[in-house]
Amino acid sequence: MGPKGFGLIKLLLPLSLLLSACSTEPDQKDESNSQASQCSQEEIAGGAAWITGQLNAFGSADPSDAYNFASEQFRQGVSLDDFVSIISGQYSALLTLKSFEIGRCVALDDGYVFQVDLIDNQNKSFTMQYVLSKINGQWGVDAATIVENKVDPTL
């Protein structure tokens, strides 16, 4: 595995751990100590607008349009060329989306996790979790990952 592969693993491993933690239901006893809470209407509106902006930008001929929605921290660790490789290799459906719907938002101590349901141009539906941060009033996409795949034969 080349150096780029290790960089991607270092990027995806913490995200996987974060998403695994977010996907489990807390025990009733632990709810008072939970670090996650529902997002405010302002947080939902701001994060949803940012995600919508990036998803729409994936249709642009210029990959920097979508890359610019990434957080500063993400851009420091992932170059534009690496971003293009990741999207075209692992998330190519984002380049030809038919539709998407932004769902649930969970606020964490250091950011927000949004559920986004998508349908590609071949009617394959999938769900992604977008991890966003908001630093000094500026939204940014820290990570996004597919959490499930399914085919909807009714479309």
Side-chain angles (χ1 to χ4, degrees):
M1 182 179 301
K4 287 185 180 180
F6 285 115
L8 182 58
I9 289 171
K10 289 191 321 190
L11 175 70
L12 293 178
L13 183 59
L15 174 62
S16 297
L17 294 173
L18 170 68
L19 295 176
S20 296
C22 293
S23 66
T24 59
E25 292 292 324
D27 292 337
Q28 291 289 2
K29 296 178 257 180
D30 295 339
E31 284 187 28
S32 61
N33 295 330
S34 176
Q35 296 176 354
S37 62
Q38 288 189 351
C39 298
S40 70
Q41 288 297 80
E42 181 180 337
E43 291 165 339
I44 292 169
W50 201 255
I51 293 168
T52 297
Q54 185 178 53
L55 291 174
N56 288 336
F58 280 121
S60 166
D62 184 354
S64 67
D65 291 347
Y67 182 73
N68 289 333
F69 284 91
S71 66
E72 183 177 333
Q73 179 182 354
F74 179 89
R75 290 190 310 259
Q76 287 175 355
V78 179
S79 70
L80 175 59
D81 288 340
D82 288 344
F83 178 77
V84 169
S85 294
I86 292 167
I87 298 302
S88 63
Q90 298 173 7
Y91 299 98
S92 60
L94 294 174
L95 303 174
T96 59
L97 282 179
K98 184 176 184 179
S99 65
F100 62 89
E101 183 177 332
I102 299 170
R104 190 177 81 173
C105 172
V106 176
L108 303 173
D109 288 342
D110 58 350
Y112 308 88
V113 178
F114 284 81
Q115 177 180 315
V116 183
D117 296 317
L118 306 108
I119 299 175
D120 69 12
N121 65 352
Q122 297 187 354
N123 292 330
K124 184 177 179 185
S125 63
F126 55 103
T127 298
M128 294 186 73
Q129 285 188 333
Y130 259 78
V131 180
L132 275 64
S133 57
K134 187 176 180 185
I135 299 171
N136 297 325
Q138 178 63 51
W139 286 96
V141 176
D142 292 328
T145 189
I146 296 174
V147 292
E148 64 184 61
N149 289 307
K150 58 187 176 194
V151 175
D152 188 344
T154 63
L155 295 176

